[in-house]
């Protein structure tokens, strides 16, 4: 798999590291997903635009949501660790 992207059959873009540019809208504001119940510190992190809430449940699939575009909401995936 290329370190930049690999399109899966279901349209997911898989990266090994955080993408710099959105593949859909070409925006450059990409946020990292944070899993778990947010506390005050997490809410402040979300306000910066560098992080986005991913929910409390973590799915154990081969690919997991890792980043999203702040401009259009497009999601990027990475291969799950340990699978």
């Amino acid at each position: 798999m290329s370190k930049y992207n690999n399109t899966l059959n279901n349209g997911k873009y898989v990266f090994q590291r955080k993408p710099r540019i959105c593949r859909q809208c070409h925006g450059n504001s990409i946020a990292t997903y944070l899993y778990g119940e947010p506390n005050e510190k997490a809410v402040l992190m979300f306000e910066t635009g560098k992080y986005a809430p991913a929910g409390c449940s973590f799915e154990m699939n081969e690919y997991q949501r890792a980043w999203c575009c702040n401009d259009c909401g497009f999601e990027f995936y990475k291969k799950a660790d340990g699978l």
Side-chain angles (χ1 to χ4, degrees):
M1 175 178 8
S2 165
K3 68 180 178 182
Y4 297 107
N5 73 17
N6 181 25
T7 305
L8 300 176
N9 291 336
N10 58 4
K12 295 178 182 176
Y13 280 97
V14 179
F15 287 74
Q16 291 179 351
R17 61 176 90 157
K18 183 178 176 179
R20 293 182 179 155
I21 296 174
C22 176
R23 299 294 184 206
Q24 183 167 309
C25 74
H26 305 289
N28 62 359
S29 180
I30 308 296
T32 300
Y33 276 128
L34 291 180
Y35 288 88
E37 191 169 336
N39 57 22
E40 284 184 37
K41 184 176 180 181
V43 171
L44 292 174
M45 292 169 67
F46 299 151
E47 290 174 0
T48 67
K50 293 181 180 182
Y51 299 92
C56 294
S57 62
F58 185 77
E59 299 173 7
M60 290 303 296
N61 296 324
E62 184 177 4
Y63 299 101
Q64 65 188 57
R65 294 183 313 153
W67 307 281
C68 71
C69 176
N70 284 324
D71 298 326
C72 71
F74 192 76
E75 295 182 326
F76 301 92
Y77 294 76
K78 71 176 183 175
K79 190 163 179 121
D81 297 330
L83 294 178

